[in-house]
Amino acid sequence: DQMLSMVVNSIRNDLTNSSSNNDAAQSLALCSIANVSGLELAQALHVEVQQTLVSKDTTPCVRKKAALCLLRLVRTSPDLVA
């Protein structure tokens, strides 16, 4: 349980810390969320994925990754994302 919270916090930091030229870290965080199947991970981070998708500071490449990640989350657990 402690390991999962450390993973979630690490991914959340990579996703939300939108400093300059952080596209690679944000893209890898989104790919991790989409490809690591776990309901706990999806529940913990789906709000950050949605915020990344609609943020005006997000680059088009990261926005595309966020859209694909959100699609994967909706397909795996449709009631999670509203």
Side-chain angles (χ1 to χ4, degrees):
D1 191 38
Q2 184 181 6
M3 182 66 134
L4 179 64
S5 65
M6 289 173 58
V7 169
V8 167
N9 286 334
S10 177
I11 292 174
R12 181 178 287 130
N13 286 339
D14 288 341
L15 189 58
T16 58
N17 188 9
S18 59
S19 61
S20 61
N21 294 330
N22 203 22
D23 288 354
Q26 285 183 315
S27 295
L28 286 172
L30 289 165
C31 287
S32 299
I33 296 167
N35 291 316
V36 175
S37 61
L39 187 59
E40 297 88 6
L41 188 68
Q43 287 174 339
L45 295 170
H46 75 276
V47 174
E48 284 83 358
V49 174
Q50 290 177 351
Q51 290 172 350
T52 302
L53 182 62
V54 299
S55 174
K56 64 180 179 179
D57 297 329
T58 305
T59 62
C61 179
V62 174
R63 188 170 287 135
K64 179 180 175 183
K65 292 276 188 190
L68 292 172
C69 178
L70 199 59
L71 176 65
R72 176 76 61 96
L73 293 178
V74 167
R75 285 183 178 169
T76 55
S77 52
D79 56 338
L80 182 68
V81 181

